[in-house]
Amino acid sequence: MQTIIGTDVQAAAQILQQGQLVAIPTETVYGLAANALDEKAVVQIFDAKNRPRFNPLIMHVGSISAISQYAIMNDLAQKLAHAFMPGAFTLLLPKLPVVPDLVTAGSPKVAVRMPNHALTLALLQQLPFPLAAPSANVFGYVSPTTAQHVYDGLSGRIPYILDGGACTVGVESTIVEVVADAVVVHRVGGVNIEAIEALIGKKVQLPATTVHKPVTSGQLKSHYATTTPLIRGDVKALLAEFADKKVAIIGLNTYYEGLPKAQQYLLSVDGNLTEAAQHLFNVMRQLDGKGYDVIIAEVFPDEGLGKAINDRLERAQVLHK
């Protein structure tokens, strides 16, 4: 199969209406999309990614009002949707029967979001169905933030990549669920926990880190992994431990002594965590192709998008423990 990279929304819509796959840009990462209401189309997502079918998908819609066709929202969920959609924000909601069990891995709940990207919103508004779309990469690898990243991983497996430029957020959406009058965060991501707490006037609930049966996307303990072993922790101690190895560092804005600056990759010289998140996956992919023995990552400040960065790096290193 030939894979084409282009910017033709109409062509992308036609391919999706034919039951095939299209990689779509969002503000978070690129997604691998299919008609969410067509099980034969959705199966192709799992096959193209080598993704296990017990891992649920996120459904993308073109408007907040469209959500009511597929899921049930109470007043608090409505409030959250209107505050953070379109954006890097996903709601886990009780699903209606029209949503196939394949999309939710048999769960009675479906994860829904409205992406904040002009091309993909234009695409969604042309389609008579929502799009199921996990990240557009081979399962378990670093998520793609450019069309070229998608092509590098899925060329020959999908017909079309809709090129919307580099993703502006760079980490996946925050996933929340309203349980009674509480808000449970199932995945930290592009919308800050602090912003959600400011809206609802109280603390959110954070579930256990280890999830054996995911209720929504992005909960598996091992994920986002580079091929090169990645270790997160005290950089100075790890440099000493791997003194005989070819090492690279992923850091925020500080260089470390004892290693050439060319081997140290700072995500934001200004210490801006939003900028750092935008660059994270791209830098992880760059380092994975440079022949390093080990990638060492800092522990980032546990605030704002630093929480999402730490989460992704923690999951990326698990495979190598």
Side-chain angles (χ1 to χ4, degrees):
M1 179 187 296
Q2 181 184 11
T3 300
I4 298 171
I5 299 177
T7 58
D8 189 336
V9 172
Q10 188 61 43
Q14 289 176 352
I15 292 167
L16 288 162
Q17 287 171 326
Q18 291 165 1
Q20 299 183 71
L21 304 181
V22 172
I24 59 172
T26 78
E27 76 281 27
T28 57
V29 301
Y30 274 72
L32 183 57
N35 178 351
L37 307 184
D38 180 350
E39 289 195 358
K40 290 182 179 178
V42 173
V43 163
Q44 295 175 59
I45 295 175
F46 292 95
D47 291 345
K49 283 176 57 72
N50 295 328
R51 181 184 177 97
R53 296 190 188 183
F54 63 76
N55 199 9
L57 306 178
I58 292 178
M59 196 165 70
H60 294 64
V61 295
S63 67
I64 294 172
S65 61
I67 297 174
S68 62
Q69 299 175 49
Y70 312 110
I72 300 168
M73 283 198 291
N74 64 16
D75 290 345
L76 181 52
Q78 288 272 7
K79 182 177 181 179
L80 289 162
H82 284 282
F84 299 116
M85 293 182 184
F89 184 80
T90 296
L91 278 169
L92 185 64
L93 301 165
K95 83 177 184 72
L96 294 176
V98 68
V99 179
D101 287 343
L102 182 63
V103 171
T104 66
S107 169
K109 303 171 186 177
V110 62
V112 185
R113 91 175 187 100
M114 180 184 177
N116 189 17
H117 193 288
L119 269 187
T120 294
L121 286 175
L123 174 62
L124 284 161
Q125 286 154 11
Q126 285 193 30
L127 297 170
F129 47 77
L131 294 175
S135 57
N137 58 294
V138 175
F139 180 74
Y141 191 59
V142 184
S143 298
T145 56
T146 67
Q148 186 61 48
H149 290 165
V150 180
Y151 189 87
D152 292 344
L154 297 180
S155 175
R157 301 188 188 194
I158 62 174
Y160 199 76
I161 300 168
L162 187 62
D163 188 353
C167 299
T168 55
V169 174
V171 292
E172 294 83 355
S173 60
T174 300
I175 302 177
V176 309
E177 179 183 11
V178 175
V179 180
D181 61 346
V183 173
V184 177
V185 175
H186 290 289
R187 180 177 73 184
V188 293
V191 169
N192 295 341
I193 299 299
E194 295 88 341
I196 298 170
E197 291 176 338
L199 178 74
I200 65 176
K202 57 185 174 182
K203 293 289 187 182
V204 300
Q205 295 180 14
L206 296 169
T209 302
T210 302
V211 176
H212 300 291
K213 182 173 173 50
V215 296
T216 188
S217 186
Q219 290 190 308
L220 294 178
K221 190 174 181 182
S222 300
H223 211 19
Y224 316 108
T226 50
T227 304
T228 306
L230 185 150
I231 310 294
R232 172 176 167 266
D234 183 318
V235 174
K236 291 181 180 178
L238 289 170
L239 282 173
E241 181 179 346
F242 295 105
D244 60 338
K245 303 290 186 183
K246 184 181 179 183
V247 171
I249 294 173
I250 298 176
L252 180 57
N253 63 343
T254 303
Y255 286 110
Y256 291 85
E257 294 182 2
L259 195 70
K261 288 186 177 180
Q263 293 172 232
Q264 302 190 49
Y265 293 74
L266 303 185
L267 300 185
S268 173
V269 294
D270 298 324
N272 184 307
L273 290 171
T274 299
E275 181 185 14
Q278 182 182 350
H279 295 154
L280 175 65
F281 286 149
N282 191 41
V283 166
M284 289 171 68
R285 283 172 172 267
Q286 284 183 46
L287 294 183
D288 213 14
K290 291 185 179 290
Y292 290 107
D293 297 319
V294 178
I295 301 168
I296 294 172
E298 281 184 347
V299 176
F300 283 70
D302 192 37
E303 59 188 34
L305 286 187
K307 293 180 185 290
I309 294 170
N310 285 330
D311 173 79
R312 303 311 187 266
L313 290 170
E314 175 66 23
R315 294 176 196 272
Q317 75 166 346
V318 171
L319 293 177
H320 309 299
K321 284 186 178 180

